[in-house]
Amino acid sequence: MEQYLVTYPIQINDFDDETTIGEAKATARKTIAEYVNRLRNLATKPSHDGQTWLFYAYHYPKDWITEPDFSLVPLNELRQKGIDTPSYGFEFTEQAEVMGYYIADSQLTKHYLEDLLVYIMYEASFFGLKQEHLQDELDKLEQATKEIDDGEGQTMTMEDFEREIGLEDLDRFTSQEEKYLHKMEEYERKIVVNSKSTEINEILQSQPHD
């Protein structure tokens, strides 16, 4: 619970002017404690597609400091595609289903277990601690998808998007700086690929087949 509040600290603007910092902290702790108890007591549901889903951690360099990042993958797909398996989002998944997903027993994932649990808690509450807004968002997503399929969705170029949000006048890297930046990004990708490969190999060696 404390790790959650460290990672996602309370916003004082969420409280009225008469609320003290101490009262805000107490309220936040109580709210998160109730959320944790809710997740603990949820009866888990089978995955929507019948697959075994798995969370695992890997290294991601942030400002050249070792940081964890996390992937959610179907185990069968991981066996088939390995490092090429994409990570899937779960904001739109019912909490009862997410609570039935597995966590890899790999060394790095165990090291970052607390961070991973905080990540899961945050993503699973994207549409409310009780997912009270989930159905509304699913309806919006379905409508947006239908509009795109019907050719009704609006699109714009990146240049138009930047202009619309006022980014067209931002300072830019020089062409030489862009080359250095691409080199940095290349090495970051290599670090991620190496870390993911190590984790995936350990996972596949230890996980039983479905």
Side-chain angles (χ1 to χ4, degrees):
M1 184 173 67
E2 292 301 323
Q3 182 66 26
Y4 186 95
L5 293 174
V6 169
T7 308
Y8 302 105
I10 61 173
Q11 302 297 316
I12 200 65
N13 292 334
D14 293 340
F15 300 88
D16 59 49
D17 294 339
E18 296 180 357
T19 302
T20 67
I21 294 177
E23 290 171 340
K25 287 182 177 179
T27 299
R29 287 193 179 94
K30 181 174 182 292
T31 300
I32 298 304
E34 290 173 349
Y35 175 44
V36 170
N37 286 333
R38 167 184 162 77
L39 296 180
R40 282 175 174 168
N41 294 316
L42 273 179
T44 60
K45 296 176 64 173
S47 64
H48 60 283
D49 54 6
Q51 296 200 71
T52 298
W53 288 80
L54 182 80
F55 288 103
Y56 73 91
Y58 60 92
H59 283 143
Y60 182 86
K62 183 178 181 182
D63 299 327
W64 299 104
I65 297 174
T66 304
E67 291 281 349
D69 206 349
F70 307 105
S71 279
L72 172 64
V73 295
L75 186 54
N76 275 337
E77 189 172 344
L78 191 67
R79 292 191 183 109
Q80 295 166 8
K81 299 180 180 179
I83 190 69
D84 295 322
T85 307
S87 180
Y88 291 83
F90 56 99
E91 309 93 274
F92 289 92
T93 305
E94 287 186 51
Q95 291 170 348
E97 179 178 333
V98 176
M99 291 300 100
Y101 293 168
Y102 289 87
I103 292 176
D105 194 32
S106 58
Q107 183 176 349
L108 193 64
T109 303
K110 288 190 289 188
H111 180 78
Y112 287 115
L113 181 58
E114 194 170 4
D115 299 89
L116 173 55
L117 294 176
V118 167
Y119 165 75
I120 293 172
M121 287 173 58
Y122 180 78
E123 294 295 320
S125 63
F126 203 78
F127 299 118
L129 296 182
K130 296 181 179 180
Q131 293 190 310
E132 56 269 27
H133 307 299
L134 177 59
Q135 190 56 54
D136 288 342
E137 295 301 325
L138 286 171
D139 293 341
K140 290 178 184 177
L141 179 63
E142 182 179 359
Q143 180 62 31
T145 302
K146 184 177 183 301
E147 289 177 359
I148 293 173
D149 291 342
D150 294 342
E152 299 175 6
Q154 296 183 349
T155 60
M156 65 173 66
T157 65
M158 179 58 71
E159 290 78 10
D160 289 339
F161 175 73
E162 290 182 350
R163 191 177 303 110
E164 182 161 316
I165 62 176
L167 293 181
E168 74 274 16
D169 294 327
L170 284 182
D171 187 24
R172 308 285 181 177
F173 287 114
T174 65
S175 58
Q176 185 61 47
E177 289 168 343
E178 285 281 357
K179 292 178 182 179
Y180 295 142
L181 182 63
H182 292 326
K183 282 289 185 182
M184 290 172 59
E185 292 171 345
E186 179 184 347
Y187 281 110
E188 285 184 352
R189 283 193 295 271
K190 287 182 177 180
I191 291 172
V192 169
V193 168
N194 179 76
S195 183
K196 278 189 169 184
S197 297
T198 301
E199 284 302 292
I200 290 171
N201 287 337
E202 185 178 348
I203 290 167
L204 295 183
Q205 290 173 8
S206 64
Q207 288 293 324
H209 290 270
D210 292 340

